[in-house]
């Protein structure tokens, strides 16, 4: 084997009102031997930069001489939100679809985000598997989300390997909130509808590069490559709790200062009724909301943000599932 190849191509995603082209870079790694195609992207939401750093280190560590098949990687899927260090695009640029991860498979004649998604969708549909790298809140357990009942996506998630594997109900099985929030047009969901095994690793901690999380992401991608036979080697066995993604998060009933329960840590199992924390009035010191878990499960997110507004997420609890 003489060794594989790497190419980097700048592509146009859309055009801004000024006529400036909105571009990004697509990296393609091709092995000498035939094999499947893996599509990986990061930074649909621009403040979620750990995935971008994962792809930079993956680039340095991918052994091209051992690669069979193709890996396509897009480190910045949404340059606009990346430049704004934001989750969504400013309303002035896309007042219809501010969240890129709610417009897949896109529309080449649609809004800005729809055009961007449609351009990248060309690469997605040529793939045999998809990894959409995301980064959650600073106070969240790293986990992988896949479509419940999709065994091929589940095995892909098991290969990536995180502290928690979350299944998410979709379509007719999903709660009303799933539909109301437009989750049917997430990249992972739409790709799975097309028969492409797809996962969303949530690596935890946005806006800052967190070494432990990034290294776990790189190892996860390399293990996905081993699982798909893009690379030689075995995927290590892991003890991953399996749970159902819980959309009914614990939210603030009132606005004020939030003090989380100091005895809680993300990743631990809690019982229904467990105290999550207290919201106080900042000037009168009056307790406004004693937040508690509405179900038993794994606490996989607990905000440490002190200033909260009514409706803000305070915690997320995943329901334990049998294997």
């Amino acid at each position: 084997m003489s060794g594989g190849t790497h190419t980097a191509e700048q592509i146009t995603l859309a055009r801004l009102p000024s006529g400036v082209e909105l571009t990004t870079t697509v990296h393609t790694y091709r092995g000498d031997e035939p094999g499947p195609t893996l599509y990986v992207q990061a930074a649909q939401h621009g403040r979620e930069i750990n995935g971008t750093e994962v792809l930079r280190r993956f680039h340095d560590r991918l052994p091209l001489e051992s690669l069979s098949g193709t890996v396509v990687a897009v480190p910045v899927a949404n340059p606009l939100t990346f430049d704004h260090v934001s989750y969504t695009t400013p309303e002035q640029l896309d007042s219809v679809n501010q969240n890129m991860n709610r417009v897949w498979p896109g529309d080449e004649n649609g809004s800005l985000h729809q055009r961007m998604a449609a351009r990248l969708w060309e690469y997605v549909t040529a793939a045999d598997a998809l990894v959409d790298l995301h980064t959650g809140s600073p106070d969240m357990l790293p986990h992988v989300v896949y479509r419940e009942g999709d065994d091929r996506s589940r095995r892909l998630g098991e290969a990536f390997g995180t502290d928690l594997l979350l299944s998410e109900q979709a379509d007719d099985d999903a709660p009303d909130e799933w539909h109301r929030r437009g989750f049917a047009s997430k990249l992972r969901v739409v790709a799975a509808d097309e028969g492409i095994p797809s996962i969303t690793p949530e690596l935890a901690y946005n806006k800052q590069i967190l070494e432990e999380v990034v290294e776990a992401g790189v190892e996860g991608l390399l293990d996905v490559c081993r699982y798909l036979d893009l690379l030689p080697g075995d995927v290590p066995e892991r003890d991953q709790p399996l749970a159902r993604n819980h959309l009914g998060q614990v939210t603030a009933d009132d606005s004020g200062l939030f003090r989380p329960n100091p005895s809680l840590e993300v990743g631990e199992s809690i019982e229904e009724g467990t105290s999550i924390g207290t919201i106080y009035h900042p000037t009168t010191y009056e307790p406004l909301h004693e937040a508690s878990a509405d179900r038993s499960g794994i606490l996989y997110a607990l905000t440490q943000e002190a200033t909260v507004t009514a409706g803000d997420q305070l915690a997320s609890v995943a329901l334990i599932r049998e294997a």
Side-chain angles (χ1 to χ4, degrees):
M1 184 177 292
S2 61
T5 63
H6 164 251
T7 58
E9 175 190 13
Q10 188 177 78
I11 66 167
T12 298
L13 297 173
R15 186 173 290 105
L16 297 178
S18 62
V20 172
E21 291 187 337
L22 188 63
T23 65
T24 195
T25 301
V26 178
H27 295 264
T28 303
Y29 309 86
R30 289 189 175 89
D32 279 346
E33 299 297 323
T37 296
L38 171 66
Y39 176 84
V40 190
Q41 72 171 34
Q44 275 206 78
H45 303 134
R47 68 188 184 194
E48 301 180 8
I49 47 78
N50 273 314
T52 302
E53 176 65 9
V54 164
L55 288 180
R56 185 185 72 83
R57 298 189 198 184
F58 176 78
H59 169 86
D60 291 337
R61 288 166 56 178
L62 179 64
L64 284 175
E65 70 280 0
S66 301
L67 183 65
S68 298
T70 304
V71 178
V72 177
V74 182
V76 179
N78 191 333
L80 280 175
T81 55
F82 195 91
D83 287 345
H84 283 84
V85 196
S86 63
Y87 184 77
T88 57
T89 289
E91 184 178 3
Q92 295 92 326
L93 294 174
D94 195 334
S95 61
V96 180
N97 300 296
Q98 292 178 261
N99 189 336
M100 185 177 177
N101 204 22
R102 301 293 186 272
V103 302
W104 296 89
D107 181 347
E108 63 181 9
N109 297 312
S111 71
L112 185 68
H113 271 156
Q114 287 176 315
R115 291 169 188 245
M116 293 165 63
R119 183 68 179 90
L120 292 175
W121 185 249
E122 298 172 23
Y123 295 92
V124 174
T125 53
D128 299 291
L130 177 145
V131 178
D132 184 19
L133 295 168
H134 283 255
T135 299
S137 68
D139 314 297
M140 187 183 72
L141 189 71
H143 59 277
V144 171
V145 187
Y146 73 97
R147 181 175 183 149
E148 187 164 306
D150 185 343
D151 290 337
R152 293 197 301 161
S153 294
R154 172 177 171 172
R155 290 192 293 271
L156 196 67
E158 290 171 339
F160 190 94
T162 53
D163 297 324
L164 181 64
L165 189 62
L166 289 184
S167 65
E168 181 182 84
Q169 293 174 300
D171 298 331
D172 293 341
D173 296 325
D176 290 341
E177 184 179 1
W178 188 90
H179 296 279
R180 178 171 53 81
R181 294 173 64 180
F183 284 8
S185 296
K186 285 185 176 182
L187 172 57
R188 168 179 52 80
V189 175
V190 177
D193 284 341
E194 292 292 317
I196 303 169
S198 306
I199 59 172
T200 302
E202 292 278 3
L203 297 176
Y205 221 103
N206 57 47
K207 297 184 181 180
Q208 296 182 27
I209 292 173
L210 196 64
E211 289 296 319
E212 181 180 357
V213 167
V214 170
E215 282 301 308
V218 176
E219 288 300 324
L221 279 184
L222 291 171
D223 279 338
V224 164
C225 289
R226 296 181 184 107
Y227 167 73
L228 294 171
D229 292 327
L230 286 158
L231 292 176
D234 297 323
V235 178
E237 293 187 9
R238 300 181 177 94
D239 182 18
Q240 292 173 290
L242 176 63
R244 172 171 291 162
N245 195 18
H246 172 40
L247 285 174
Q249 298 134 338
V250 180
T251 56
D253 284 354
D254 212 331
S255 303
L257 291 182
F258 176 64
R259 180 178 183 264
N261 184 339
S263 68
L264 293 180
E265 293 185 5
V266 293
E268 68 176 291
S269 296
I270 63 174
E271 299 296 324
E272 180 181 354
T274 298
S275 172
I276 299 298
T278 304
I279 297 174
Y280 295 92
H281 193 292
T283 62
T284 68
Y285 316 136
E286 175 190 1
L288 301 173
H289 179 202
E290 298 287 348
S292 60
D294 63 350
R295 65 198 61 204
S296 301
I298 296 177
L299 179 70
Y300 71 94
L302 177 63
T303 186
Q304 301 298 314
E305 294 284 344
T307 305
V308 298
T309 302
D312 282 354
Q313 175 184 334
L314 303 178
S316 293
V317 180
L319 306 175
I320 298 294
R321 286 191 53 205
E322 298 298 325

